[in-house]
Amino acid sequence: MSQLALVIDLNVCVGCHACVTSCKQWNTSGWAGPLVDENPYDADPTGTFFNRVQTFEVGTFPDTETVHFPKSCLHCEDPPCVPVCPTGASHKRADNGIVLVDYDKCIGCKYCSWACPYGAREVDEQQKVMKKCTLCIDRITDLTLPERERKPACVLACPTSARLFGDVQDPDSEVSIAIRERGGYQLMPEWGTKPANHYLPRRKTRIYIDPEELIRADNPLRKEDLTTYSGEETLDDVTW
Amino acid sequence: MHPAFSVIFLTTLIGAGQGLFLALYTGQIYALANLLPAQGDEFYAFGSLVALALLVGGLIASFFHLGRPERAWRAAARWRTSWLSREVLVLPLVMALVFAYGLAHWTGHTQPLFTLGNWLAVDATLLIGLAATLAVFALFVCTAMVYAGVRFLEEWCSPLTVVNFTLFGLASGFMLAAAYSAFIGNQLVAFFGTWSVIFTVIALVSRFASLTRNAHLRHKSTVQSAIGVRHQTVSQKAQGATAGSFNTREFFHGRSAGTLRTVRLLFLFLVFPLPMLLIGAAYATQSPTLPIVAFAVQYLGLLFERWYFFAEARHPQNLYYQSVA
């Protein structure tokens, strides 16, 4: 058993939307057909995306912090969207735990989207089927690609390496270590869906500087000060 | 949630159809026990036809909810886990049994097949009707559990949803039976009307219970648990799209709080007191048209009730879609 997932570091995400555009580019060009847009260059543009970056403001001005929050399917280990599907189009892969939709079986009843508390699923308004993040299943399983490219498009595109990809059930994987050692957490844990994707929290880097560290207190000549000065250059004058 | 008219018509039409069938079968059993004057087979046959028409109407409405209606047959596949799949299986079963019930009456298959305890003459219509009754109640449960089974929609996730769907179906179905009896001019108007009023009163109690429950509901999820930031003040500044998405269209009703209050008042008036007054007036005046008006008014009210049922449910995903920019 393995469970592939993303770990997203909110501490370094800068909200550049590179993951959004690379996801859209890869998944609109693949075997499953386009991710349809409507009115892309007009009023009220809308379209299907697997991944969106949202922005939240935490606190009250002036003590605020901006959190850029990339949101995609969390590939829950207990996905509530799968059992409600009447056709079996919505399924969780046994080999790598990715939650997928079979676009040829989906009847577009939208019931799975009601059963997802995260709003991770979006109907394709022209193909009339439900779509969602596939973790670039056609890319990560493509053995003709060099191994370092067998990662989701969003992970490869991220300029700050805020997105890690790997098996969260392997305790020695990069993602498991990141979750364990950097406080990785799940979204809406109250529902017991056990999301596989984790988020790494914002961190403040603080150092404490003692005033003693700013004054050169270890100069024996100045500290003890046994010398009688008469205006000439001292050792301090040439070294400070 | 966005109230979709396909689903509003599906649930109200099949509810009334199921209730009408139950009313007819109840009438047959009362007649069997000599508590009511026996009706001709045409009464049951045409009544079943009306019930079947409502069920078919609901089924047609449901197709408008699907993006890919040509694949609807696939929806029978996952009945082990999905209430929607179970509803898809039980609805045609109910239609077939109601059709068979009407057909058995129409073709006069009313000769007793056997007699129970020397007094209960069991014929084909009684057996088919019993099977159809079980299927009708199973369909009430399946239809309601499609909504009550989604634990994220806390307004719906309650046994009250199943009780309400069943009672509204019974009330409107018996009201329709009263209207049907008034239309053809038989003596059963008062019988069906009385039962309809009883179901309407119980439905009023259970709907008030669910309205009260939902008014005091504290949602499990907050914006803090949604993004995992522990701070009292978190506000959204961007949702990743400037002009809306599936998430903003499917999960928001887009109406003001005032509209919601108006719709609630409308349905509370149209479903409960007005039809009861009309059917009471029909009893007093022996009017043949007032029961039909009473049913029409109650059905219209149920459309508003179902609209409100969807609009009042707040999905946790909305926490991610509080602000556009």
Side-chain angles (χ1 to χ4, degrees), chain B residues 33-236:
Chain B
N34 290 322
L35 296 170
L36 282 180
Q39 300 299 314
D41 281 324
E42 295 81 13
F43 173 76
Y44 299 108
F46 279 113
S48 302
L49 193 67
V50 175
L52 190 64
L54 290 170
L55 293 166
V56 170
L59 182 66
I60 292 171
S62 76
F63 276 89
F64 287 95
H65 190 68
L66 301 182
R68 293 282 195 153
E70 76 278 10
R71 298 178 185 165
W73 59 273
R74 285 187 181 276
R78 285 293 186 271
W79 55 271
R80 283 188 189 85
T81 59
S82 172
W83 281 107
L84 183 54
S85 193
R86 288 169 201 163
E87 187 191 16
V88 165
L89 284 172
V90 178
L91 178 56
L93 179 69
V94 168
M95 288 162 64
L97 286 169
V98 169
F99 177 73
Y101 176 78
L103 192 69
H105 271 296
W106 182 249
T107 54
H109 283 77
T110 46
Q111 293 306 310
L113 299 173
F114 55 91
T115 312
L116 283 179
N118 280 335
W119 59 275
L120 181 62
V122 178
D123 63 15
T125 60
L126 207 61
L127 290 176
I128 298 172
L130 181 66
T133 302
L134 295 175
V136 158
F137 277 105
L139 183 57
F140 275 131
V141 173
C142 289
T143 306
M145 281 306 289
V146 168
Y147 307 96
V150 182
R151 60 196 163 111
F152 308 110
L153 287 155
E154 291 165 282
E155 284 85 354
W156 298 350
C157 186
S158 150
L160 284 171
T161 302
V162 183
V163 174
N164 287 335
F165 271 61
T166 308
L167 286 170
F168 283 133
L170 286 167
S172 59
F174 275 76
M175 194 68 88
L176 181 54
Y180 170 53
S181 297
F183 183 70
I184 60 172
N186 72 13
Q187 314 94 311
L188 300 185
V189 182
F191 170 71
F192 290 131
T194 308
W195 273 111
S196 173
V197 168
I198 292 169
F199 289 130
T200 304
V201 169
I202 307 173
L204 177 66
V205 174
S206 70
R207 192 65 176 104
F208 249 105
S210 71
L211 284 175
T212 313
R213 172 186 178 272
N214 292 347
H216 297 283
L217 202 61
R218 281 179 65 91
H219 287 275
K220 272 189 187 178
S221 292
T222 59
V223 68
Q224 283 80 10
S225 75
I227 66 167
V229 173
R230 295 287 171 267
H231 195 292
Q232 287 297 96
T233 314
V234 178
S235 64
Q236 187 164 30

Side-chain angles (χ1 to χ4, degrees), chain A residues 26-126:
Chain A
W26 177 264
N27 287 296
T28 205
S29 327
W31 53 268
L35 284 182
V36 173
D37 285 320
E38 294 193 322
N39 304 327
Y41 306 108
D42 214 332
D44 292 328
T46 187
T48 312
F49 285 77
F50 290 167
N51 180 34
R52 295 184 186 269
V53 177
Q54 305 187 324
T55 302
F56 292 85
E57 188 175 82
V58 178
T60 314
F61 183 83
D63 298 320
T64 55
E65 193 172 325
T66 304
V67 176
H68 298 294
F69 180 80
K71 182 169 90 73
S72 57
C73 172
L74 307 173
H75 299 280
C76 297
E77 299 199 38
D78 188 6
C81 53
V82 168
V84 300
C85 176
T87 68
S90 201
H91 61 285
K92 186 174 178 68
R93 270 178 69 137
D95 56 345
N96 55 23
I98 297 180
V99 178
L100 291 173
V101 179
D102 185 336
Y103 302 148
D104 294 331
K105 280 188 187 168
C106 176
I107 59 172
C109 69
K110 310 183 199 77
Y111 196 35
C112 55
S113 71
W114 296 5
C116 171
Y118 308 103
R121 292 169 165 256
E122 297 189 15
V123 150
D124 192 307
E125 298 288 356
Q126 286 179 24

Side-chain angles (χ1 to χ4, degrees), chain A residues 23-230:
Chain A
C23 165
K24 181 83 173 181
Q25 192 278 330
W26 177 264
N27 287 296
T28 205
S29 327
W31 53 268
L35 284 182
V36 173
D37 285 320
E38 294 193 322
N39 304 327
Y41 306 108
D42 214 332
D44 292 328
T46 187
T48 312
F49 285 77
F50 290 167
N51 180 34
R52 295 184 186 269
V53 177
Q54 305 187 324
T55 302
F56 292 85
E57 188 175 82
V58 178
T60 314
F61 183 83
D63 298 320
T64 55
E65 193 172 325
T66 304
V67 176
H68 298 294
F69 180 80
K71 182 169 90 73
S72 57
C73 172
L74 307 173
H75 299 280
C76 297
E77 299 199 38
D78 188 6
C81 53
V82 168
V84 300
C85 176
T87 68
S90 201
H91 61 285
K92 186 174 178 68
R93 270 178 69 137
D95 56 345
N96 55 23
I98 297 180
V99 178
L100 291 173
V101 179
D102 185 336
Y103 302 148
D104 294 331
K105 280 188 187 168
C106 176
I107 59 172
C109 69
K110 310 183 199 77
Y111 196 35
C112 55
S113 71
W114 296 5
C116 171
Y118 308 103
R121 292 169 165 256
E122 297 189 15
V123 150
D124 192 307
E125 298 288 356
Q126 286 179 24
Q127 294 179 16
K128 302 287 184 190
V129 293
M130 193 57 74
K131 295 196 168 179
K132 63 178 286 302
C133 163
T134 65
L135 280 180
C136 291
I137 187 74
D138 52 338
R139 179 169 189 145
I140 60 177
T141 55
D142 185 353
L143 297 179
T144 63
L145 290 173
E147 191 170 351
R148 63 181 197 85
E149 286 179 27
R150 274 180 242 152
K151 287 182 175 178
C154 58
V155 174
L156 293 169
C158 182
T160 61
S161 300
R163 302 173 78 93
L164 311 176
F165 170 68
D167 179 3
V168 290
Q169 286 186 353
D170 171 6
D172 298 323
S173 67
E174 181 192 21
V175 284
S176 290
I177 292 170
I179 293 167
R180 199 162 61 232
E181 298 184 350
R182 292 155 71 186
Y185 65 88
Q186 296 169 323
L187 304 183
M188 294 187 185
E190 61 272 19
W191 294 113
T193 54
K194 290 190 269 176
N197 280 15
H198 283 65
Y199 286 78
L200 303 180
R202 309 269 298 188
R203 281 170 296 158
K204 283 269 163 56
T205 308
R206 297 178 199 273
I207 54 169
Y208 177 72
I209 299 173
D210 194 281
E212 286 280 300
E213 294 171 53
L214 299 174
I215 300 168
R216 191 159 163 184
D218 56 349
N219 185 336
L221 295 174
R222 186 57 66 97
K223 187 94 177 171
E224 312 272 313
D225 217 5
L226 306 171
T227 322
T228 316
Y229 295 102
S230 52

Side-chain angles (χ1 to χ4, degrees), chain A residues 109-111 113-114 123 125, chain B residues 1-9 11 64-65 147 153 155-156 245-256 260 303-318:
Chain A
C109 69
K110 310 183 199 77
Y111 196 35
S113 71
W114 296 5
V123 150
E125 298 288 356
Chain B
M1 298 294 288
H2 170 74
F5 275 101
S6 51
V7 186
I8 290 173
F9 278 110
T11 54
F64 287 95
H65 190 68
Y147 307 96
L153 287 155
E155 284 85 354
W156 298 350
S245 57
F246 170 73
N247 306 73
T248 57
R249 290 188 291 271
E250 179 73 4
F251 297 94
F252 292 87
H253 51 77
R255 307 285 167 178
S256 67
L260 247 70
L303 294 179
F304 283 110
E305 190 277 336
R306 218 40 56 86
W307 189 94
Y308 186 80
F309 171 78
F310 281 95
E312 78 171 338
R314 278 175 293 169
H315 198 283
Q317 77 103 38
N318 294 6

